[in-house]
Amino acid sequence: MSARRPLPRWADIALLPAINLLMAFLVSGLVVLFVGENPLHAIQVIIYGAFGYGDGFGYTLYYATNFIFTGLAVAVAAHAGLFNIGGDGQAYVAGLGAIVVALALDQTHWLIAMPAAIIAAGAMGGFWAFVPGWLQAKRGSHVVITTIMFNFIAAALMVYMVNRVLKPATTMAPESATIAVDGRVPQLRQFLSFFGYSPVNLSIVVAIAALIGVYILIWHTKFGYAMRVLGANPTASRYAGISNSRMIMITMTISGALAGMVAINEVMGVQNRLVLDYVAGAGFVGIAVALMGRNHPIGIALAALLFGALYQGGQELQFVIPGITREMIVVIQALVILFTGAMEGLFRPSLERAFMLMGPEQKTEAIAVSTAKPES
């Protein structure tokens, strides 16, 4: 018989993710060692590629921007007890709103086009998440099933819209018309030469604002309190006079709108047009980012930066060490997602027991519990 207590807050949000990350790197190191390369050298290359020079750091921030948006989307839904795994589809469909507004206003100024596109992208992404929310609230259809189905619907819809509606008659490539220079979101290299030719742009400012906004929404508003009550105990929420159906639909809409901000980064800041598959799995990476960040904006920012570093550092690793192929880099990234996401609770029981035995009082109590005889 053993006694367990919940982990201290700091251990749950910092120590446990660090242990999971360490295990992911250890297993990844074994993979690198297996192909005859030096794991320590590989780590040095990844760190340098992600943070060692301006272009690399810019690409890290570019990837992290997408992961912040999708991580926040997952986190907002999670606080209400919902598991939104449709971030990919919501971010993808949001591109329709972004490109239509951007093309309509690209002859004005980005200060006009960008806010309008943010509203349009948020509206499209929010609508794409609202429907699964409505289906769960009113019809009992589980949001996990409907959101992942909507990912496939979004993929099919976008292929049709790009090829049959938005593609100019003068091009054969499956893409929309290009946004004029005045309507594009400026890249940071226009203000700071340090970032070289990296695509990081002012969308990162929107991401930082989203982090702050989500923190205020969840922990400093009446709506955020109602959201957390719903996530903790739907029955208590109902008895407290909170409309669970309304909360589910609004929360999913906010979640989808956050995921939709990926379209601003990609469509207006990088591609400057709408192309197929521009989301590139960012919605699913957002799940791992939210889990690793414990659904807190600060944790999500750090986790997004980590995954951005892994993506950019992996690209650098492929060039510097040819023996490590693209497939192996994907394996390393997958291992990090596996340990920090799907298996994030693997070491929790052992860590709880270790903390329980750290103090003399806890140790005495644990021994008493474990040696107590059942009452006759």
Side-chain angles (χ1 to χ4, degrees):
M1 181 176 180
S2 61
R4 283 172 52 188
R5 288 184 177 180
L7 289 172
R9 179 67 174 165
W10 69 270
D12 186 47
I13 65 176
L15 182 58
L16 185 59
I19 292 174
N20 290 328
L21 186 61
L22 177 62
M23 288 303 301
F25 282 139
L26 286 175
V27 177
S28 300
L30 293 176
V31 173
V32 173
L33 192 62
F34 181 76
V35 298
E37 299 292 345
N38 186 347
L40 295 179
H41 182 218
I43 292 176
Q44 291 175 350
V45 171
I46 290 175
I47 294 174
Y48 176 78
F51 303 107
Y53 60 104
D55 287 85
F57 185 51
Y59 270 97
T60 298
L61 294 179
Y62 153 66
Y63 290 122
T65 301
N66 286 341
F67 300 151
I68 286 173
F69 289 134
T70 55
L72 288 174
V74 175
V76 166
H79 279 288
L82 304 167
F83 192 15
N84 178 15
I85 58 176
D88 249 39
Q90 293 147 20
Y92 204 5
V93 169
L96 289 175
I99 193 62
V100 169
V101 170
L103 291 175
L105 300 176
D106 66 351
Q107 300 299 323
T108 57
H109 195 275
W110 67 267
L111 284 173
I112 298 174
M114 184 179 179
I118 288 174
I119 295 172
M124 290 297 296
F127 171 76
W128 208 250
F130 167 81
V131 177
W134 182 87
L135 289 172
Q136 171 150 334
K138 300 297 185 180
R139 293 292 182 266
S141 302
H142 203 288
V143 71
V144 169
I145 303 300
T146 51
T147 51
I148 199 167
M149 290 175 64
F150 266 58
N151 284 341
F152 291 98
I153 297 173
L157 173 65
M158 292 299 287
V159 169
Y160 175 83
M161 292 298 295
V162 171
N163 283 286
R164 299 297 183 89
V165 179
L166 296 172
K167 186 176 73 172
T170 56
T171 181
M172 294 295 293
E175 60 187 35
S176 72
T178 302
I179 301 170
V181 174
D182 290 339
R184 300 174 186 176
V185 174
Q187 297 186 342
L188 294 189
R189 63 184 179 183
Q190 297 175 227
F191 310 102
L192 297 171
S193 59
F194 169 76
F195 291 106
Y197 293 95
S198 63
V200 60
N201 55 77
L202 287 182
S203 296
I204 194 170
V205 177
V206 180
I208 294 171
L211 288 167
I212 298 171
V214 167
Y215 174 78
I216 295 172
L217 173 69
I218 295 176
W219 282 282
H220 293 279
T221 65
K222 181 180 177 181
F223 178 84
Y225 177 76
M227 182 193 304
R228 288 182 286 126
V229 171
L230 171 63
N233 192 325
T235 303
S237 172
R238 188 179 303 108
Y239 273 100
I242 299 171
S243 173
N244 289 357
S245 298
R246 175 176 170 272
M247 290 299 301
I248 289 172
M249 290 185 288
I250 295 176
T251 300
M252 285 298 295
T253 302
I254 296 173
S255 177
L258 286 167
M261 294 301 99
V262 172
I264 303 301
N265 186 31
E266 292 289 343
V267 175
M268 294 188 67
V270 180
Q271 306 291 346
N272 300 318
R273 61 194 187 280
L274 184 63
V275 298
L276 295 177
D277 300 322
Y278 69 83
V279 180
F284 293 106
V285 176
I287 297 174
V289 168
L291 287 172
M292 188 174 183
R294 294 296 185 268
N295 296 321
H296 191 285
I298 295 177
I300 288 171
L302 295 175
L305 188 64
L306 168 66
F307 279 92
L310 287 174
Y311 269 61
Q312 167 56 22
Q315 299 290 338
E316 188 84 8
L317 190 64
Q318 186 178 359
F319 287 106
V320 176
I321 308 179
I324 300 179
T325 64
R326 173 61 187 166
E327 289 73 21
M328 290 187 62
I329 294 170
V330 173
V331 168
I332 293 172
Q333 294 169 349
L335 285 170
V336 175
I337 294 174
L338 177 66
F339 277 94
T340 60
M343 297 172 61
E344 64 92 19
L346 180 64
F347 300 102
R348 183 181 295 275
S350 301
L351 205 57
E352 287 175 348
R353 294 189 187 97
F355 270 89
M356 183 269 299
L357 292 171
M358 284 180 65
E361 294 180 0
Q362 291 84 351
K363 184 175 182 179
T364 302
E365 183 180 344
I367 293 174
V369 171
S370 61
T371 57
K373 296 180 180 179
E375 296 181 1
S376 57

PDB file of all heavy atoms in Angstrom, residues 197-218:
ATOM      1  N   TYR A 197      16.810  37.144 -43.397  1.00  0.00           N
ATOM      2  CA  TYR A 197      15.745  36.850 -44.355  1.00  0.00           C
ATOM      3  C   TYR A 197      14.678  35.936 -43.774  1.00  0.00           C
ATOM      4  O   TYR A 197      13.947  35.282 -44.501  1.00  0.00           O
ATOM      5  CB  TYR A 197      16.342  36.218 -45.615  1.00  0.00           C
ATOM      6  CG  TYR A 197      17.209  37.163 -46.410  1.00  0.00           C
ATOM      7  CD1 TYR A 197      18.588  37.185 -46.237  1.00  0.00           C
ATOM      8  CD2 TYR A 197      16.632  38.072 -47.304  1.00  0.00           C
ATOM      9  CE1 TYR A 197      19.383  38.069 -46.950  1.00  0.00           C
ATOM     10  CE2 TYR A 197      17.423  38.959 -48.019  1.00  0.00           C
ATOM     11  CZ  TYR A 197      18.794  38.954 -47.843  1.00  0.00           C
ATOM     12  OH  TYR A 197      19.574  39.843 -48.547  1.00  0.00           O
ATOM     13  N   SER A 198      14.582  35.874 -42.472  1.00  0.00           N
ATOM     14  CA  SER A 198      13.588  35.019 -41.831  1.00  0.00           C
ATOM     15  C   SER A 198      12.188  35.624 -41.996  1.00  0.00           C
ATOM     16  O   SER A 198      12.034  36.838 -42.118  1.00  0.00           O
ATOM     17  CB  SER A 198      13.907  34.850 -40.344  1.00  0.00           C
ATOM     18  OG  SER A 198      13.843  36.093 -39.669  1.00  0.00           O
ATOM     19  N   PRO A 199      11.148  34.784 -41.987  1.00  0.00           N
ATOM     20  CA  PRO A 199       9.792  35.269 -42.257  1.00  0.00           C
ATOM     21  C   PRO A 199       9.035  35.765 -41.028  1.00  0.00           C
ATOM     22  O   PRO A 199       7.847  36.072 -41.139  1.00  0.00           O
ATOM     23  CB  PRO A 199       9.110  34.021 -42.835  1.00  0.00           C
ATOM     24  CG  PRO A 199       9.775  32.886 -42.127  1.00  0.00           C
ATOM     25  CD  PRO A 199      11.213  33.312 -41.933  1.00  0.00           C
ATOM     26  N   VAL A 200       9.674  35.837 -39.867  1.00  0.00           N
ATOM     27  CA  VAL A 200       8.960  36.299 -38.676  1.00  0.00           C
ATOM     28  C   VAL A 200       8.431  37.712 -38.922  1.00  0.00           C
ATOM     29  O   VAL A 200       9.124  38.562 -39.474  1.00  0.00           O
ATOM     30  CB  VAL A 200       9.873  36.248 -37.427  1.00  0.00           C
ATOM     31  CG1 VAL A 200      11.102  37.131 -37.586  1.00  0.00           C
ATOM     32  CG2 VAL A 200       9.092  36.621 -36.177  1.00  0.00           C
ATOM     33  N   ASN A 201       7.190  37.948 -38.536  1.00  0.00           N
ATOM     34  CA  ASN A 201       6.531  39.206 -38.858  1.00  0.00           C
ATOM     35  C   ASN A 201       5.743  39.717 -37.652  1.00  0.00           C
ATOM     36  O   ASN A 201       5.810  39.140 -36.566  1.00  0.00           O
ATOM     37  CB  ASN A 201       5.618  39.025 -40.077  1.00  0.00           C
ATOM     38  CG  ASN A 201       4.623  37.890 -39.862  1.00  0.00           C
ATOM     39  OD1 ASN A 201       3.635  38.049 -39.156  1.00  0.00           O
ATOM     40  ND2 ASN A 201       4.895  36.729 -40.465  1.00  0.00           N
ATOM     41  N   LEU A 202       4.994  40.775 -37.864  1.00  0.00           N
ATOM     42  CA  LEU A 202       4.284  41.421 -36.756  1.00  0.00           C
ATOM     43  C   LEU A 202       3.163  40.556 -36.189  1.00  0.00           C
ATOM     44  O   LEU A 202       2.545  40.947 -35.190  1.00  0.00           O
ATOM     45  CB  LEU A 202       3.730  42.776 -37.200  1.00  0.00           C
ATOM     46  CG  LEU A 202       4.757  43.898 -37.385  1.00  0.00           C
ATOM     47  CD1 LEU A 202       4.069  45.199 -37.766  1.00  0.00           C
ATOM     48  CD2 LEU A 202       5.582  44.102 -36.119  1.00  0.00           C
ATOM     49  N   SER A 203       2.892  39.424 -36.784  1.00  0.00           N
ATOM     50  CA  SER A 203       1.923  38.500 -36.191  1.00  0.00           C
ATOM     51  C   SER A 203       2.367  38.045 -34.810  1.00  0.00           C
ATOM     52  O   SER A 203       1.541  37.673 -33.979  1.00  0.00           O
ATOM     53  CB  SER A 203       1.729  37.270 -37.093  1.00  0.00           C
ATOM     54  OG  SER A 203       1.181  37.633 -38.328  1.00  0.00           O
ATOM     55  N   ILE A 204       3.661  38.090 -34.550  1.00  0.00           N
ATOM     56  CA  ILE A 204       4.153  37.696 -33.235  1.00  0.00           C
ATOM     57  C   ILE A 204       3.660  38.679 -32.167  1.00  0.00           C
ATOM     58  O   ILE A 204       3.464  38.301 -31.004  1.00  0.00           O
ATOM     59  CB  ILE A 204       5.692  37.589 -33.225  1.00  0.00           C
ATOM     60  CG1 ILE A 204       6.158  36.839 -31.965  1.00  0.00           C
ATOM     61  CG2 ILE A 204       6.350  38.952 -33.334  1.00  0.00           C
ATOM     62  CD1 ILE A 204       7.615  36.478 -31.983  1.00  0.00           C
ATOM     63  N   VAL A 205       3.439  39.929 -32.558  1.00  0.00           N
ATOM     64  CA  VAL A 205       2.864  40.902 -31.625  1.00  0.00           C
ATOM     65  C   VAL A 205       1.423  40.519 -31.304  1.00  0.00           C
ATOM     66  O   VAL A 205       0.976  40.611 -30.148  1.00  0.00           O
ATOM     67  CB  VAL A 205       2.934  42.319 -32.215  1.00  0.00           C
ATOM     68  CG1 VAL A 205       2.283  43.328 -31.277  1.00  0.00           C
ATOM     69  CG2 VAL A 205       4.381  42.708 -32.490  1.00  0.00           C
ATOM     70  N   VAL A 206       0.694  40.049 -32.313  1.00  0.00           N
ATOM     71  CA  VAL A 206      -0.669  39.570 -32.094  1.00  0.00           C
ATOM     72  C   VAL A 206      -0.655  38.350 -31.171  1.00  0.00           C
ATOM     73  O   VAL A 206      -1.521  38.200 -30.304  1.00  0.00           O
ATOM     74  CB  VAL A 206      -1.346  39.227 -33.437  1.00  0.00           C
ATOM     75  CG1 VAL A 206      -2.766  38.724 -33.217  1.00  0.00           C
ATOM     76  CG2 VAL A 206      -1.350  40.436 -34.355  1.00  0.00           C
ATOM     77  N   ALA A 207       0.338  37.484 -31.349  1.00  0.00           N
ATOM     78  CA  ALA A 207       0.450  36.298 -30.498  1.00  0.00           C
ATOM     79  C   ALA A 207       0.694  36.681 -29.046  1.00  0.00           C
ATOM     80  O   ALA A 207       0.095  36.103 -28.126  1.00  0.00           O
ATOM     81  CB  ALA A 207       1.578  35.398 -31.010  1.00  0.00           C
ATOM     82  N   ILE A 208       1.573  37.655 -28.817  1.00  0.00           N
ATOM     83  CA  ILE A 208       1.845  38.119 -27.452  1.00  0.00           C
ATOM     84  C   ILE A 208       0.586  38.741 -26.852  1.00  0.00           C
ATOM     85  O   ILE A 208       0.246  38.504 -25.679  1.00  0.00           O
ATOM     86  CB  ILE A 208       3.011  39.116 -27.445  1.00  0.00           C
ATOM     87  CG1 ILE A 208       4.309  38.412 -27.864  1.00  0.00           C
ATOM     88  CG2 ILE A 208       3.179  39.747 -26.070  1.00  0.00           C
ATOM     89  CD1 ILE A 208       5.474  39.354 -28.094  1.00  0.00           C
ATOM     90  N   ALA A 209      -0.132  39.524 -27.651  1.00  0.00           N
ATOM     91  CA  ALA A 209      -1.386  40.113 -27.173  1.00  0.00           C
ATOM     92  C   ALA A 209      -2.409  39.028 -26.846  1.00  0.00           C
ATOM     93  O   ALA A 209      -3.167  39.152 -25.871  1.00  0.00           O
ATOM     94  CB  ALA A 209      -1.945  41.073 -28.232  1.00  0.00           C
ATOM     95  N   ALA A 210      -2.422  37.960 -27.641  1.00  0.00           N
ATOM     96  CA  ALA A 210      -3.341  36.857 -27.377  1.00  0.00           C
ATOM     97  C   ALA A 210      -2.994  36.153 -26.071  1.00  0.00           C
ATOM     98  O   ALA A 210      -3.892  35.758 -25.307  1.00  0.00           O
ATOM     99  CB  ALA A 210      -3.301  35.863 -28.537  1.00  0.00           C
ATOM    100  N   LEU A 211      -1.705  35.989 -25.794  1.00  0.00           N
ATOM    101  CA  LEU A 211      -1.283  35.384 -24.529  1.00  0.00           C
ATOM    102  C   LEU A 211      -1.796  36.206 -23.343  1.00  0.00           C
ATOM    103  O   LEU A 211      -2.347  35.657 -22.380  1.00  0.00           O
ATOM    104  CB  LEU A 211       0.239  35.281 -24.474  1.00  0.00           C
ATOM    105  CG  LEU A 211       0.901  34.238 -25.385  1.00  0.00           C
ATOM    106  CD1 LEU A 211       2.404  34.482 -25.453  1.00  0.00           C
ATOM    107  CD2 LEU A 211       0.623  32.825 -24.887  1.00  0.00           C
ATOM    108  N   ILE A 212      -1.611  37.508 -23.417  1.00  0.00           N
ATOM    109  CA  ILE A 212      -2.065  38.388 -22.336  1.00  0.00           C
ATOM    110  C   ILE A 212      -3.587  38.376 -22.238  1.00  0.00           C
ATOM    111  O   ILE A 212      -4.163  38.287 -21.139  1.00  0.00           O
ATOM    112  CB  ILE A 212      -1.544  39.817 -22.560  1.00  0.00           C
ATOM    113  CG1 ILE A 212      -0.012  39.833 -22.542  1.00  0.00           C
ATOM    114  CG2 ILE A 212      -2.095  40.777 -21.511  1.00  0.00           C
ATOM    115  CD1 ILE A 212       0.601  41.157 -22.968  1.00  0.00           C
ATOM    116  N   GLY A 213      -4.249  38.450 -23.379  1.00  0.00           N
ATOM    117  CA  GLY A 213      -5.707  38.463 -23.392  1.00  0.00           C
ATOM    118  C   GLY A 213      -6.313  37.196 -22.821  1.00  0.00           C
ATOM    119  O   GLY A 213      -7.298  37.244 -22.067  1.00  0.00           O
ATOM    120  N   VAL A 214      -5.744  36.043 -23.173  1.00  0.00           N
ATOM    121  CA  VAL A 214      -6.265  34.767 -22.654  1.00  0.00           C
ATOM    122  C   VAL A 214      -6.048  34.679 -21.149  1.00  0.00           C
ATOM    123  O   VAL A 214      -6.922  34.203 -20.408  1.00  0.00           O
ATOM    124  CB  VAL A 214      -5.588  33.588 -23.377  1.00  0.00           C
ATOM    125  CG1 VAL A 214      -5.862  32.276 -22.647  1.00  0.00           C
ATOM    126  CG2 VAL A 214      -6.094  33.502 -24.812  1.00  0.00           C
ATOM    127  N   TYR A 215      -4.897  35.145 -20.678  1.00  0.00           N
ATOM    128  CA  TYR A 215      -4.654  35.139 -19.231  1.00  0.00           C
ATOM    129  C   TYR A 215      -5.712  35.977 -18.505  1.00  0.00           C
ATOM    130  O   TYR A 215      -6.291  35.544 -17.497  1.00  0.00           O
ATOM    131  CB  TYR A 215      -3.262  35.680 -18.923  1.00  0.00           C
ATOM    132  CG  TYR A 215      -3.008  35.841 -17.440  1.00  0.00           C
ATOM    133  CD1 TYR A 215      -2.697  34.740 -16.641  1.00  0.00           C
ATOM    134  CD2 TYR A 215      -3.107  37.094 -16.838  1.00  0.00           C
ATOM    135  CE1 TYR A 215      -2.487  34.889 -15.277  1.00  0.00           C
ATOM    136  CE2 TYR A 215      -2.892  37.250 -15.481  1.00  0.00           C
ATOM    137  CZ  TYR A 215      -2.586  36.143 -14.708  1.00  0.00           C
ATOM    138  OH  TYR A 215      -2.391  36.298 -13.358  1.00  0.00           O
ATOM    139  N   ILE A 216      -5.973  37.173 -18.999  1.00  0.00           N
ATOM    140  CA  ILE A 216      -6.977  38.034 -18.370  1.00  0.00           C
ATOM    141  C   ILE A 216      -8.364  37.399 -18.464  1.00  0.00           C
ATOM    142  O   ILE A 216      -9.127  37.394 -17.488  1.00  0.00           O
ATOM    143  CB  ILE A 216      -6.970  39.424 -19.035  1.00  0.00           C
ATOM    144  CG1 ILE A 216      -5.632  40.128 -18.772  1.00  0.00           C
ATOM    145  CG2 ILE A 216      -8.121  40.279 -18.532  1.00  0.00           C
ATOM    146  CD1 ILE A 216      -5.452  41.422 -19.538  1.00  0.00           C
ATOM    147  N   LEU A 217      -8.683  36.845 -19.625  1.00  0.00           N
ATOM    148  CA  LEU A 217     -10.004  36.240 -19.821  1.00  0.00           C
ATOM    149  C   LEU A 217     -10.256  35.106 -18.840  1.00  0.00           C
ATOM    150  O   LEU A 217     -11.317  35.037 -18.204  1.00  0.00           O
ATOM    151  CB  LEU A 217     -10.114  35.719 -21.263  1.00  0.00           C
ATOM    152  CG  LEU A 217     -11.379  34.905 -21.580  1.00  0.00           C
ATOM    153  CD1 LEU A 217     -12.596  35.816 -21.567  1.00  0.00           C
ATOM    154  CD2 LEU A 217     -11.244  34.201 -22.926  1.00  0.00           C
ATOM    155  N   ILE A 218      -9.294  34.204 -18.694  1.00  0.00           N
ATOM    156  CA  ILE A 218      -9.520  32.994 -17.905  1.00  0.00           C
ATOM    157  C   ILE A 218      -9.463  33.265 -16.409  1.00  0.00           C
ATOM    158  O   ILE A 218     -10.261  32.719 -15.634  1.00  0.00           O
ATOM    159  CB  ILE A 218      -8.506  31.907 -18.298  1.00  0.00           C
ATOM    160  CG1 ILE A 218      -8.745  31.474 -19.751  1.00  0.00           C
ATOM    161  CG2 ILE A 218      -8.604  30.688 -17.380  1.00  0.00           C
ATOM    162  CD1 ILE A 218      -7.735  30.472 -20.273  1.00  0.00           C
TER     163      ILE A 218
END
